[in-house]
Amino acid sequence: MIKENTIDGKATGLNMNDELFMQRALELALQGKGYTSPNPMVGAVIVKNNKVIAEGFHARCGEDHAETAALKKCKGNVAKGATLYVNLEPCFHEGRTPPCVDAVIAAGIKEVVIAMKDPNPLTNGKSIRKLNNAGITTRVGILGDQAGRLNEAFVKFIKEGMPFVVAKVAQTIDGKIATTARDSMWITSEKTREMSRTVRAEFDAILVGVNTMMVDDPRLEPQDAKKVLKKIIVDTRLRVPLISKIFKKPEQCIVATTNKAALSQISLLKHKGIEVIVCPVRNNKVDLKWLFKELAKENITSILIEGGSEVIGSALKEGLVDKMHIYIAPKIVGDQKALSSVTGMNISKIEEALQLKDLQVLYFHPDIRIEGYVLRNS
């Protein structure tokens, strides 16, 4: 039996092209972004005599996994004796598709280079052991950090039973999302707004508070018309009007409310075909942590919060936000009574302020976007 070739999770025995081929696997995996959930994004590269002979990626949940997609391009015994590069351990269990590990063994692959183990207990290390038992060399850990970031939503969903949450705000330089007259059309440019709509397709669901619904009446559609996106409205007392534009596709909508809502209003929403989740009350509002756990049970692995300021503040305060997308327009409102992008956190000392880490700044003339992970207090 040939053992998995790692030291403290880091791959050993690297050849000069290992990172190159694994980087290609990661690039392929990205092509499925927004469409593989609740499955991870996976890319596969088959290499023989130091040349790529086949590639594949998991394009959509229910379709071929990356390894199978690549192996199908190898006619006859072409894959025999080749090396497979894959960013996630091949699956061990049978779901909508057969186990990939069996297909890899049957193809005669001699070596499998894996960026990271699958955190799913149904696979976690089992495929690596099965490959080893079949006499196939495995090496684990090449570009492992990048692989983890690529599938961060999947990893959190599997390990914590919670969706990966990104909060998005579009604000002025002085942190305002609307004037004192509640005018907010438009803070950022059309180019920036189009780009932010494109980002929506990367998530399973988009979430807003009832105030955003009442003021803006958004449709919350992604730029990609093929993407089916769940739209979640947080509404403690069910004030959202039934004539809201979002309800033109009721099957895509979820309204999260509490027992403070009238039963008659709940019945009206359900009759219209809208899913209603009655949540516990926390601080006189919908208990977001409880809600997110319920949404995870519906295989919602990622959520984009698009407002309003109270919902984002509550989610940050409860430690539910993993990452921020902050769009900043080169504008200044200059009024302390204007609406801030985040409210309700009640922080009295600067040392208690939440911090972002691993910042990235993207420039979309004339606006910028700052991305950062929320630093958790240990």
Side-chain angles (χ1 to χ4, degrees):
M1 183 173 70
I2 302 174
K3 299 293 184 182
E4 168 193 350
N5 192 5
T6 62
I7 297 176
D8 296 330
K10 301 297 183 182
T12 62
L14 270 70
N15 68 51
M16 61 184 295
N17 288 323
D18 275 342
E19 291 194 359
L20 178 67
F21 293 135
M22 189 61 76
Q23 188 63 52
R24 178 56 183 161
L26 290 165
E27 291 170 359
L28 288 165
L30 266 174
Q31 293 186 42
K33 192 171 183 66
Y35 292 95
T36 64
S37 180
N39 293 344
M41 292 173 280
V42 184
V45 178
I46 300 174
V47 178
K48 195 170 186 179
N49 298 325
N50 221 29
K51 292 183 179 179
V52 175
I53 60 171
E55 297 179 338
F57 68 95
H58 185 36
R60 190 178 293 270
C61 184
E63 296 183 6
D64 284 340
H65 289 189
E67 302 93 323
T68 302
L71 287 169
K72 282 184 175 180
K73 297 175 182 176
C74 298
K75 305 301 180 183
N77 294 323
V78 172
K80 188 174 183 180
T83 296
L84 168 66
Y85 289 83
V86 62
N87 61 289
L88 189 72
E89 179 183 3
C91 65
F92 184 83
H93 61 289
E94 185 159 354
R96 293 183 178 89
T97 60
C100 291
V101 65
D102 293 342
V104 173
I105 293 170
I109 295 288
K110 72 169 184 178
E111 181 181 37
V112 181
V113 184
I114 302 164
M116 64 177 286
K117 286 184 181 180
D118 189 339
N120 190 334
L122 295 173
T123 293
N124 190 247
K126 294 176 183 176
S127 288
I128 293 171
R129 287 191 291 273
K130 190 168 187 176
L131 291 167
N132 292 161
N133 289 336
I136 298 171
T137 303
T138 57
R139 292 186 288 127
V140 184
I142 294 172
L143 302 187
D145 290 343
Q146 290 185 38
R149 278 284 170 92
L150 174 73
N151 278 310
E152 57 194 1
F154 172 75
V155 171
K156 183 184 179 186
F157 175 70
I158 291 296
K159 288 186 173 181
E160 301 180 27
M162 290 283 279
F164 187 87
V165 178
V166 174
K168 171 230 169 177
V169 296
Q171 64 179 47
T172 61
I173 287 176
D174 54 337
K176 304 301 181 181
I177 61 172
T179 66
T180 52
R182 294 302 183 259
D183 178 41
S184 60
M185 300 293 178
W186 293 99
I187 290 175
T188 55
S189 68
E190 172 57 32
K191 178 181 177 181
T192 300
R193 296 197 301 274
E194 182 178 332
M195 193 277 299
S196 68
R197 289 192 295 269
T198 301
V199 171
R200 288 174 177 171
E202 299 176 6
F203 295 83
D204 293 341
I206 185 168
L207 181 148
V208 296
V210 65
N211 290 336
T212 296
M213 291 299 306
M214 302 283 280
V215 173
D216 298 335
D217 192 19
R219 290 186 176 89
L220 301 180
E221 293 289 352
Q223 193 75 6
D224 184 353
K226 296 178 183 178
K227 171 71 178 186
V228 177
L229 189 69
K230 283 289 186 181
K231 297 151 188 178
I232 304 161
I233 303 163
V234 178
D235 187 355
T236 304
R237 293 177 173 80
L238 276 190
R239 295 185 292 124
V240 61
L242 278 171
I243 60 171
S244 298
K245 294 173 185 174
I246 201 170
F247 294 142
K248 289 183 178 179
K249 296 180 179 178
E251 72 283 356
Q252 295 181 11
C253 297
I254 298 173
V255 177
T257 189
T258 69
N259 58 11
K260 294 177 181 288
L263 291 176
S264 58
Q265 189 72 354
I266 292 175
S267 296
L268 284 171
L269 288 169
K270 288 183 175 180
H271 181 73
K272 195 175 175 70
I274 299 162
E275 180 181 354
V276 179
I277 300 177
V278 180
C279 308
V281 177
R282 182 179 176 86
N283 298 325
N284 293 315
K285 299 176 183 177
V286 167
D287 186 333
L288 291 178
K289 186 173 184 179
W290 186 93
L291 171 63
F292 288 1
K293 285 183 178 179
E294 289 299 302
L295 294 172
K297 292 176 184 176
E298 297 190 22
N299 279 335
I300 292 176
T301 68
S302 59
I303 298 173
L304 177 66
I305 302 179
E306 282 210 4
S309 61
E310 290 184 24
V311 171
I312 292 175
S314 295
L316 284 166
K317 191 174 181 179
E318 294 297 323
L320 300 173
V321 178
D322 298 286
K323 193 175 183 181
M324 296 288 297
H325 285 182
I326 305 169
Y327 296 84
I328 303 175
K331 299 173 182 177
I332 296 173
V333 171
D335 190 331
Q336 64 179 4
K337 293 182 180 179
L339 188 60
S340 297
S341 57
V342 179
T343 59
M345 293 185 63
N346 301 321
I347 290 173
S348 58
K349 296 180 179 179
I350 287 295
E351 64 186 29
E352 297 171 353
L354 289 181
Q355 281 189 261
L356 301 184
K357 64 177 181 177
D358 301 337
L359 296 183
Q360 284 190 312
V361 180
L362 295 88
Y363 184 47
F364 303 100
H365 182 76
D367 309 317
I368 63 171
R369 183 175 87 184
I370 298 175
E371 294 181 14
Y373 292 87
V374 178
L375 185 62
R376 306 283 185 209
N377 293 324
S378 55

